[in-house]
Amino acid sequence: MRALIACFLLHSSIISVLAQLTLPSPPWLPPENSTGAIPSNNSYPNSHWSTLIGELLYFYEAQRSGELPSTNRVSWRNGSALDDGREDRVDLTGGYYDAGDFSKQTFPLSFTLMSICWGATDFGRGYDLANQTVYLDDMLRWGLDWLMKAHVEESRLYVLVDNKDIGNTYWGGDRSIPTPRPIYDINNSNPGTDVAAQASAAFAACSNLYAHRAFDNSTFSTPASLRDQTYADTLLTRAQQLYSFALNSSGGRKVYQKSVPEAASAYSSSGFGDELAIAALFLSWGTNDPAMFHAAEDYYTRYKLSESNRVFNWDSKVPGLAVLFSQIAQSRPETGRNLEQWKASAEQYFDDIVNKKGQSFRTDGGLVFWSGDSDHASLNPALNAAMLMHRYAPMATSEEKKKSYLSFSKSQLDYALGKNPMSIAYIVGINPNSPSNPHHAMASGGNDIGTIDTFPNQTARILYGALVGGPDVRDRFFDIRSDWPQTEVALDYNAPLLTLSSMHVISGTNDPFYTSLEAGAYAKVKPSGFPCDAAFKEGCEGPTLTKEGRIAMAVVLTVVCLIIAGLSAWWIRLLVRNARQNK
Ligand SMILES: *[C@@H]1O[C@H](CO)[C@@H](O)[C@H](O)[C@H]1NC(C)=O
Ligand SMILES: *[C@@H]1O[C@H](CO)[C@@H](O)[C@H](O)[C@H]1NC(C)=O
Ligand SMILES: *[C@@H]1O[C@H](CO)[C@@H](O)[C@H](O)[C@H]1NC(C)=O
Ligand SMILES: *[C@@H]1O[C@H](CO)[C@@H](O)[C@H](O)[C@H]1NC(C)=O
Ligand SMILES: *[C@@H]1O[C@H](CO)[C@@H](O)[C@H](O)[C@H]1NC(C)=O
Ligand SMILES: *[C@@H]1O[C@H](CO)[C@@H](O)[C@H](O)[C@H]1NC(C)=O
Ligand SMILES: *[C@@H]1O[C@H](CO)[C@@H](O)[C@H](O)[C@H]1NC(C)=O
Ligand SMILES: *[C@@H]1O[C@H](CO)[C@@H](O)[C@H](O)[C@H]1NC(C)=O
């Protein structure tokens, strides 16, 4: 009997080893930020880019919800939100908190997982070289396993846990998150085409990674080595179910906030055609089915997606579509088609950005900026564009274009990593010139939204590896905790940076820009006063005046006006008199 049990235990431990890569002991931990100020020896693989991958992944660990495993590396985190879904008899514990607060959001989470899996499939070797594939695996499964829980039936998906009610958000630690936490689903009668299709795309893209379905390996790199065919098959089944749900629910096709209005305050979707297209594309890659590729092309036309080709982010996938169409058409000619047409479409978009035509412009400091999209988190659209261009560059139709895409991509990445008018590396904990006050309740150590900026005076924990929103349109960064457009962190912000870092580990030995920043550089140029953005209006006016000041200013202006009026009347009279005399 005992032998039987031992055999069973051995067997199950082998299964669990096969299922997931074993985390190292001792674990990899982020180094002190001073390490990021010491240039490396430029050996291969580059140690700083490798460390950066590790830190970016570590951030996701700080965002974990639910019971934490014994391998948890973030010492100041506790198990939390352990009752999610319980009132409705569904287990929605686990997953990731979306940003600086405690809501769980399926739409941006799915985009994040899709983006990271895509990057780890076509530029995955960087994770291997950095010895971070084991943490990539751990990070992905934490998200995917939760997404499978949220997908409770073929045609039912939970899309939101705890409403992000701006202005009334709980600000505090993970031990006293207010309950009950409301949960919201989409289903056959109240569908959400976009979020179902986006979750499908996440499952399909990650299935491709776990199945090691590589892109053309003369153009792209190999997938990160975390092969697990059983897991890949499970993910693919989920992807197919969700695609059918997105396409064929009895409630028709609609954006998800029509079914779940509570989702609108933070992540309102602008359309679902792009999600249908990207889900169909990743599925065509996963199943080698030309019909799915053609379906994606049909969505592109039917929903006039070329007209909304603006930024690549949680809401809009359009700029990524032309790139993925091209990759599949090139790597699998038996599945994809119209390679030249899709490349032309990708290059049109990139050339407009590079040549400063079209809808974007450049700040004085060199950051690419889209009015509206960039105002709420300026680095995210820039890094997504940089990631897409670097990915596409090896397919460019001319050497000149290839160079311009790589150089644009580098310029944006350099900007985010310190080559900017603030001399700041916009990732928490990576360098002594990193942001100190991310908008993140748990890291701050505060417990009252009313005193968010003053208590505690100094941020309690360093949120290693978190990219913040970024500077304003004038390249200014104020590092104020309550200033969410500039200092908030989010699951989707880190995604393009992971892929870019993996690309850089693969492609070269140069350090990221921040190793050349001088100690104290940011402190020297840090602006005083307030920003001008959605969280602050103070910085939008000139120097602010007190009420007395404004009255005094009004009096002075009136007097000046009267004097000018008097002088000009006198001057006109003089002119008229002279004119008469000259007659
Ligand atoms: C650079 O190389 C030298 C000699 O090989 C070594 O002592 C030093 O620790 C290295 N520095 C870094 C940052 O790796
Ligand atoms: C990865 O691990 C190998 C083997 O332990 C080691 O030689 C190498 O330096 C590590 N690479 C990085 C970037 O840490
Ligand atoms: C985790 O629990 C400890 C012990 O109660 C507490 O000091 C710490 O603040 C908690 N962490 C967070 C993020 O709230
Ligand atoms: C379907 O979703 C809507 C919107 O979330 C919800 O109000 C409704 O209760 C759900 N229907 C069923 C049968 O659960
Ligand atoms: C690329 O893939 C082909 C076919 O699978 C294989 O034979 C070849 O060795 C691969 N090349 C590289 C550089 O990995
Ligand atoms: C959608 O429904 C149609 C009609 O019932 C069916 O032919 C098609 O296969 C379904 N598509 C998917 C993806 O389930
Ligand atoms: C850098 O690390 C030191 C030591 O942990 C810490 O005191 C300091 O606040 C950190 N600075 C930044 C910008 O992260
Ligand atoms: C904030 O910290 C500074 C420097 O550590 C200190 O001088 C100041 O008194 C603190 N302010 C408050 C309100 O605690």
Side-chain angles (χ1 to χ4, degrees):
M1 184 66 197
R2 207 180 281 173
L4 204 65
I5 292 172
C7 173
F8 174 76
L9 288 177
L10 184 68
H11 187 68
S12 56
S13 78
I14 288 172
I15 287 176
S16 78
V17 167
L18 282 180
Q20 181 168 350
L21 301 180
T22 310
L23 292 162
S25 176
W28 184 92
L29 293 172
E32 287 275 304
N33 57 49
S34 54
T35 310
I38 306 167
S40 78
N41 289 349
N42 301 115
S43 52
Y44 188 87
N46 180 279
S47 58
H48 283 294
W49 285 111
S50 299
T51 299
L52 182 53
I53 292 183
E55 301 225 14
L56 292 166
L57 288 171
Y58 183 88
F59 161 69
Y60 290 99
E61 209 162 310
Q63 295 298 103
R64 284 183 176 188
S65 181
E67 204 80 72
L68 300 181
S70 60
T71 48
N72 167 43
R73 293 180 289 166
V74 186
S75 59
W76 45 268
R77 281 301 321 279
N78 309 289
S80 61
L82 301 174
D83 291 331
D84 280 357
R86 179 169 294 178
E87 282 201 345
D88 302 77
R89 291 204 203 85
V90 41
D91 176 13
L92 290 178
T93 60
Y96 290 110
Y97 297 124
D98 171 63
D101 54 15
F102 297 94
S103 75
K104 296 197 285 204
Q105 309 263 352
T106 301
F107 196 37
L109 169 71
S110 304
F111 169 75
T112 303
L113 294 169
M114 175 194 81
S115 177
I116 294 175
C117 285
W118 183 10
T121 307
D122 57 5
F123 287 89
R125 199 171 134 66
Y127 290 95
D128 292 351
L129 289 166
N131 296 333
Q132 288 292 335
T133 298
V134 55
Y135 289 109
L136 172 69
D137 184 33
D138 199 37
M139 178 275 154
L140 291 174
R141 284 176 193 259
W142 195 267
L144 292 165
D145 289 350
W146 183 80
L147 204 52
M148 284 196 256
K149 278 187 180 178
H151 182 210
V152 285
E153 294 164 22
E154 287 194 19
S155 300
R156 185 195 295 275
L157 174 69
Y158 281 90
V159 298
L160 178 61
V161 178
D162 203 14
N163 188 9
K164 204 190 273 252
D165 181 4
I166 291 170
N168 187 27
T169 318
Y170 162 71
W171 184 263
D174 57 15
R175 284 200 177 276
S176 39
I177 301 169
T179 52
R181 285 162 47 88
I183 62 176
Y184 305 89
D185 68 316
I186 53 164
N187 48 53
N188 224 348
S189 44
N190 292 279
T193 313
D194 37 23
V195 64
Q198 183 58 66
S200 167
F203 283 131
C206 294
S207 167
N208 294 341
L209 170 63
Y210 278 97
H212 215 87
R213 286 189 276 267
F215 289 85
D216 163 11
N217 65 2
S218 62
T219 308
F220 304 102
S221 135
T222 47
S225 44
L226 37 59
R227 203 177 204 136
D228 181 342
Q229 191 61 46
T230 311
Y231 198 56
D233 292 344
T234 307
L235 298 177
L236 189 59
T237 303
R238 296 292 186 147
Q240 284 164 327
Q241 290 171 346
L242 281 158
Y243 180 71
S244 298
F245 173 33
L247 214 55
N248 273 347
S249 61
S250 57
R253 296 182 195 170
K254 52 174 80 155
V255 291
Y256 79 121
Q257 69 269 17
K258 287 208 171 145
S259 293
V260 182
E262 290 81 0
S265 64
Y267 290 103
S268 191
S269 165
S270 59
F272 52 76
D274 52 340
E275 284 83 19
L276 284 174
I278 207 152
L281 266 184
F282 277 115
L283 279 167
S284 82
W285 181 248
T287 57
N288 242 342
D289 182 359
M292 291 303 274
F293 191 93
H294 303 166
E297 290 188 316
D298 288 345
Y299 300 131
Y300 197 88
T301 313
R302 186 180 336 155
Y303 295 112
K304 298 188 170 59
L305 297 182
S306 63
E307 289 170 22
S308 50
N309 204 3
R310 216 173 124 80
V311 297
F312 183 72
N313 67 12
W314 59 267
D315 181 30
S316 161
K317 285 89 206 183
V318 181
L321 287 171
V323 177
L324 187 56
F325 273 122
S326 304
Q327 285 187 303
I328 296 176
Q330 168 166 314
S331 300
R332 292 252 182 93
E334 70 283 11
T335 305
R337 62 180 184 187
N338 296 325
L339 176 61
E340 300 316 315
Q341 179 203 311
W342 288 115
K343 283 170 72 169
S345 166
E347 294 189 1
Q348 165 92 57
Y349 174 75
F350 294 148
D351 291 345
D352 277 356
I353 294 175
V354 169
N355 301 323
K356 303 180 190 170
K357 289 191 288 191
Q359 306 181 49
S360 65
F361 63 93
R362 235 50 80 70
T363 66
D364 289 346
L367 182 67
V368 65
F369 209 93
W370 285 266
S371 290
D373 290 296
S374 303
D375 287 319
H376 295 310
S378 58
L379 294 172
N380 182 249
L383 289 173
N384 271 315
M387 177 271 288
L388 289 178
M389 278 200 222
H390 194 135
R391 162 176 281 138
Y392 179 81
M395 303 185 69
T397 51
S398 74
E399 204 51 36
E400 191 195 345
K401 283 186 193 239
K402 176 180 174 178
K403 266 194 204 138
S404 75
Y405 301 156
L406 288 176
S407 119
F408 172 84
S409 176
K410 182 167 187 311
S411 73
Q412 299 306 302
L413 189 53
D414 282 351
Y415 185 104
L417 300 184
K419 195 173 185 181
N420 57 59
M422 296 284 105
S423 291
I424 188 166
Y426 283 108
I427 300 165
V428 178
I430 198 80
N431 178 278
N433 297 288
S434 283
S436 296
N437 297 306
H439 180 97
H440 192 271
M442 290 187 281
S444 80
N447 53 20
D448 177 2
I449 191 83
T451 56
I452 175 175
D453 284 323
T454 49
F455 181 78
N457 196 343
Q458 190 174 6
T459 296
R461 295 130 184 167
I462 300 181
L463 189 64
Y464 287 102
L467 177 79
V468 298
D472 67 9
V473 67
R474 291 164 59 192
D475 300 296
R476 302 176 308 168
F477 183 76
F478 291 81
D479 204 9
I480 298 172
R481 206 178 285 147
S482 62
D483 185 22
W484 59 266
Q486 295 210 336
T487 60
E488 190 151 19
V489 303
L491 301 180
D492 63 312
Y493 293 178
N494 271 31
L497 206 42
L498 266 170
T499 299
L500 282 163
S501 302
S502 183
M503 289 163 166
H504 278 269
V505 170
I506 296 167
S507 69
T509 57
N510 288 341
D511 285 347
F513 189 84
Y514 49 75
T515 60
S516 61
L517 288 174
E518 249 171 65
Y522 172 53
K524 273 189 220 152
V525 294
K526 183 177 174 182
S528 56
F530 298 98
C532 171
D533 58 30
F536 282 90
K537 287 286 158 270
E538 288 90 328
C540 299
E541 296 139 26
T544 40
L545 291 171
T546 58
K547 192 176 170 202
E548 289 75 17
R550 281 199 294 272
I551 293 172
M553 187 60 108
V555 170
V556 170
L557 284 177
T558 312
V559 171
V560 169
C561 279
L562 287 175
I563 292 173
I564 291 174
L567 278 175
S568 28
W570 172 78
W571 180 242
I572 288 168
R573 225 178 294 146
L574 199 70
L575 285 178
V576 169
R577 197 187 303 157
N578 284 351
R580 279 200 196 131
Q581 276 170 2
N582 290 347
K583 243 187 211 167

